[in-house]
Amino acid sequence: MKYPLSPDVKPEFCTTGTFMRLPSTRENAKLAIVGMPFDTAASFRVGARFAPQAIRQASMTLFPYHPIHKVYPFDDSNAIDIGDVSVIPHNIHRSYKLMEDAMFELMENNIIPIGLGGDHSISLANLRAAAKKHGPVAMIHFDSHTDTWDTYYDEKYWHGSPFIRAHEEGLLIPNKVFQLGIRGTLNHPGDIDASHELGYNVITTPEMYERGFESILKEMKEVIGDTPCFLTFDIDFVDPSCAPGTGTLEVGGYNSMETLKMIRTLTDFNFIGFDVVEVLPSYDPTQITTLLAATLVHEFASLATLQIKKENLK
């Protein structure tokens, strides 16, 4: 049987519970979807634990072919969906270990994982797995917040701190980290300075509009080069008019089409993993947020497939 099963083969409402009805195992898999339903590191709204299944449900309306990149991302990569990591909702450190192990097992078998969060704390586990496999990595981070804030209520591990913890653990190459789309009000002027002090490249939404993404893309390619790179996407990068189902909304972001155009230009990076986080289905009865998240997964899979095809030609 050819996978994924598109809506013209099997009705959208006939789901297997996996992303685009992918199988859980397949020979020569090069890409994997993995759910990470952990959300108890969130500081305000919770509910991202329900995002992996909601994103999978939204994926039922997607078709398998990517018309821009001209690939069948899930078929060409023999993609699988291994289900959700059995996280422990009241224990972030044991959950980290479970998520890290799941991601590392995929990476160790040369399978590119796409994690479905979950709040943004899950990215620390994903970066631990990536660094265990590849050493310190580059990172492209789409978000309205830097997530380099040290503590919250004296707690060091929460969804606003994964990238300061990642720096402390030596998981990232600081000058090869790009944080894109930062915007909104701040607690104090030092909130963004904290990322600069770590050596990260912070490009705010106003600066992105002023420079244009083509200029930023050129800079990222020059700096990151062929370094193994992790892409993390917080759905609140997108304006809440297009993605209202999230935890910490910030107005003044990009719309969904502008966002997809940016993602589609990221074709010359050595991506070793992806995640999409901070989707809260219960705050968006229209389901446009989960549909956007599912579409982003399709985009990430297409980028990975282009990379896989390029490597096969070597």
Side-chain angles (χ1 to χ4, degrees), residues 184-258:
T185 56
L186 304 171
N187 282 318
H188 51 75
D191 282 354
I192 291 179
D193 292 341
S195 277
H196 288 302
E197 290 167 2
L198 298 177
Y200 298 167
N201 301 283
V202 181
I203 305 177
T204 65
T205 297
E207 184 182 350
M208 290 180 71
Y209 270 103
E210 184 177 339
R211 288 182 56 182
F213 195 70
E214 186 176 339
S215 168
I216 296 164
L217 178 64
K218 181 180 179 182
E219 180 185 353
M220 290 196 298
K221 285 181 177 179
E222 290 173 351
V223 172
I224 294 175
D226 293 328
T227 304
C229 184
F230 191 86
L231 191 156
T232 181
F233 194 102
D234 188 322
I235 206 73
D236 71 26
F237 170 85
V238 183
D239 190 81
S241 62
C242 298
T246 191
T248 311
L249 297 92
E250 300 285 359
V251 300
Y254 286 93
N255 66 33
S256 55
M257 185 64 242
E258 292 168 329

Side-chain angles (χ1 to χ4, degrees), residues 16 35 61 75 80 111 120 122 132-133 143 199 203 205 207 212 224-225 248 268-269 286 292 300:
T16 62
T61 62
D75 190 48
I80 56 177
I111 299 172
H120 219 154
I122 71 156
K132 187 176 180 180
K133 167 69 175 176
D143 204 329
I203 305 177
T205 297
E207 184 182 350
I224 294 175
T248 311
D268 294 317
F269 294 91
T286 69
L292 175 58
F300 299 159

